[in-house]
Every structure is written in structure tokens, then in C-alpha cells.
Amino acid sequence: MTDQLSPWQWDESTWRGHVGRVRAGRSLRPSSWPGGARVAVALSFDSDHETPALRDGETLPGKLAQGEYGARVGVPRILRLLERISAPATFFMPAVSALLHDGEIKSYVDGGHEVALHGWIHERNTSLPPGAERDLAFRAADTLERLAGTRPAGIRTPSWDFSADTLAITRELGLAYDSSLMADDDCYELLADGEPTGVVELPVEWIRDDAPYFMMDRFASLRPYTPPRGVLSIWRDEFDAAYAEGGLFQLTLHPHIIGHRSRMAVLTELLDHISGHDGVWFATHAQVVAHVLAEQETP
């Protein structure tokens, strides 16, 4: 009966129930970072490649070529940049992307980077029939484990969608963290219906994602309106504030978006700016999570 009511007709228990289903719990912001670092920098790359097009049934060469650029050109450029500044990063990869691009996961592992879950085919998990999200998540975890040699420690849901089942699946998989939600600048523990879960949220934000600034769709109104140097200014300000606070700076990028020349110039300038500061700890998402959990256990 409640489902047939408009939100303005809900009683208090209904709207409180929706809000409290998955909620931010205790802050896990540490008192210090390893080696006395002032800020933790967690770089991440969602290696979607062709999967968003395939998910939507787009099978013609044009859309697929846009995604292929990420694997063919973007990833090698990104890996060279990360190697130059000695920065480990986390690559969230749909299993279908990993299967399409033989050897790409090995290049991540060989470079000292983390490989984490990002769905099977970049599916819209909030639109799946019952049971499908769980099945795809376990298949993806098995695939990445086989290709990377280790079981993924964390997940970023495709498009940051979070269904009513996502947290339960994350816990069943035994994952240490999620990186899909936006309730804080720093890590926090996820609550399920008010109860602590032990799952760490390493939060994302559209402000710190390249897709909203640079995506293009010729048949829709989606256009890149912000100049690359304007995005650099936003991200630099985000880092500078995190540095001043002694907190976490997290960035989400996509090889098929950031991997183009003018945009790599922006990323290079940003990372050179960050590297020019003393007390910067570049870490994978799993390393950040391990540190904040270890500090909670320290008397």
C-alpha cells in the first residue's frame, strides 16, 4: 500500500526507513597517514572501454571504437604517467573489459596497481531482475581473480548505482570496501538499517570525476562545456583543500575520456602539482582502507 502513495503522503517510519537503509556511520578519517604524510591521494581509473556501449546494445563500430581508444591509447599513457611519478592507483574494471583486452590486467598488476570490481558489463544494477546483480558480481569477482591472481578487495558499482541489494552482495563477497557513495570527503563505515557493517566507504563525487566535464553524445544534448584547464582548476582546488585539512583526495577517471592528449596534459599538470608538495602519500584504494581500519584497531 505504501508503494502506491506519493512521497508527501508517507508517514515518518516510511521516509526514515528509506533514508536509513544504507547510511554513513562513524568517520574513519585517521589521525595521521603513513610516514607522517599530510594527505592521502587515491587515484582511480574506471577501465570501462567498450562496455557502456555494449550494455546499451550499441554494437556498431563507432561507439565501440570510442571505448577501444581507452584500452589502445589511454591506458598506456596513464601507466607511463603513473610510473613517472611512482604513484600506485586503483583500476576498477568490468569483467567484460578485462576479457576483451588480453593482458591489460597483467599490466596493472605488474605496475603495482590494484584491480577492483566494476560490474560484469557495466550493467545498470538498479534495473536488473532479482538475483541478477548478485550473479554478475560473483562472476566478475571470479574473472578478475583469475586474471589478476588475487581476489578483489573492493567494488565500485557501474555508474555508482546502488540497489537495495548492493550492500548485502558486497558483504557476501567479503569485500573490505565500496567506492560508489558520496556522504563525506573522507572514509566512513557503512550502516545497514542503522547497524554497522564493517564495510568501508571510500567516497566518490561527480566534482572529482572526468565524465561530467568531458563526455560527448552527438545525438543528445550531452556536450563538454568546461575547458580542460577549467577542470584542472577545480581538481587542484579540491587537492589543496584536502592537503590543508590533512585528509583524503580521491579522483575518478576513465581511460577513454582522460586518455586524450589535451586531457592528459591536464592530468599531468595536476599530478605534478600534487607531487610538488611535501608529505603526499599516493596509495591504492585498498591501501587507504587498510590504513584507516588498522588505525581504528590501534589502542
Side-chain angles (χ1 to χ4, degrees):
M1 183 68 178
T2 306
D3 293 339
Q4 299 173 2
L5 298 176
S6 297
W8 63 268
Q9 296 173 302
W10 291 343
D11 59 23
E12 183 172 347
S13 64
T14 299
W15 49 257
R16 284 194 182 277
H18 288 305
V19 171
R21 183 168 295 153
V22 177
R23 199 72 168 161
R26 60 180 174 145
S27 172
L28 298 176
R29 179 171 175 169
S31 60
S32 63
W33 296 109
R38 182 165 180 80
V39 67
V41 175
L43 304 174
S44 64
F45 298 87
D46 293 359
S47 299
D48 300 338
H49 305 334
E50 297 94 341
T51 57
L54 291 172
R55 171 205 63 206
D56 293 337
E58 295 274 1
T59 58
L60 295 177
K63 279 282 184 122
L64 296 176
Q66 284 182 290
E68 187 181 12
Y69 184 95
R72 182 181 177 89
V73 182
V75 166
R77 282 181 176 156
I78 289 164
L79 291 177
R80 288 194 296 268
L81 174 58
L82 295 175
E83 182 179 17
R84 179 172 70 77
I85 63 171
S86 300
T90 299
F91 287 84
F92 293 92
M93 195 171 198
V96 169
S97 287
L99 293 169
L100 279 170
H101 299 284
D102 186 43
E104 186 171 319
I105 279 189
K106 185 177 185 303
S107 71
Y108 299 154
V109 174
D110 290 348
H113 306 295
E114 176 192 6
V115 176
L117 283 168
H118 197 44
W120 175 257
I121 195 169
H122 211 276
E123 60 274 4
R124 301 187 192 279
N125 58 320
T126 56
S127 303
L128 295 173
E133 181 181 4
R134 180 187 181 279
D135 175 59
L136 294 174
F138 273 81
R139 285 166 57 191
D142 291 343
T143 300
L144 295 192
E145 181 179 20
R146 175 170 58 83
L147 295 175
T150 56
R151 192 78 170 172
I155 185 171
R156 172 171 295 154
T157 59
S159 303
W160 301 344
D161 287 338
F162 218 87
S163 79
D165 301 318
T166 300
L167 182 53
I169 294 167
T170 298
R171 298 176 74 182
E172 187 180 356
L173 280 165
L175 301 174
Y177 74 90
D178 172 75
S179 186
S180 316
L181 301 176
M182 311 181 193
D184 206 320
D185 296 311
D186 294 288
C187 293
Y188 57 90
E189 183 178 13
L190 289 176
L191 303 180
D193 295 316
E195 296 297 320
T197 64
V199 177
V200 176
E201 181 63 34
L202 201 162
V204 292
E205 226 303 321
W206 292 114
I207 295 169
R208 301 187 309 274
D209 186 301
D210 58 354
Y213 303 111
F214 296 137
M215 285 188 70
M216 162 78 182
D217 188 332
R218 62 180 294 208
F219 297 117
S221 59
L222 189 62
R223 296 289 186 276
Y225 293 110
T226 309
R229 283 299 188 282
V231 179
L232 171 61
S233 177
I234 295 169
W235 290 346
R236 188 170 51 214
D237 288 348
E238 284 280 324
F239 166 77
D240 288 347
Y243 187 82
E245 295 169 2
L248 170 69
F249 174 72
Q250 185 276 344
L251 194 64
T252 302
L253 304 164
H254 301 76
H256 71 286
I257 296 175
I258 201 69
H260 291 272
R261 293 165 176 156
S262 61
R263 299 163 186 180
M264 282 300 295
V266 164
L267 180 58
T268 299
E269 190 169 337
L270 173 69
L271 296 184
D272 285 343
H273 171 74
I274 292 172
S275 299
H277 288 68
D278 293 328
V280 173
W281 180 46
F282 285 102
T284 67
H285 285 44
Q287 288 169 335
V288 170
V289 168
H291 175 74
V292 301
L293 287 176
E295 184 169 281
Q296 295 296 316
E297 297 169 358
T298 302

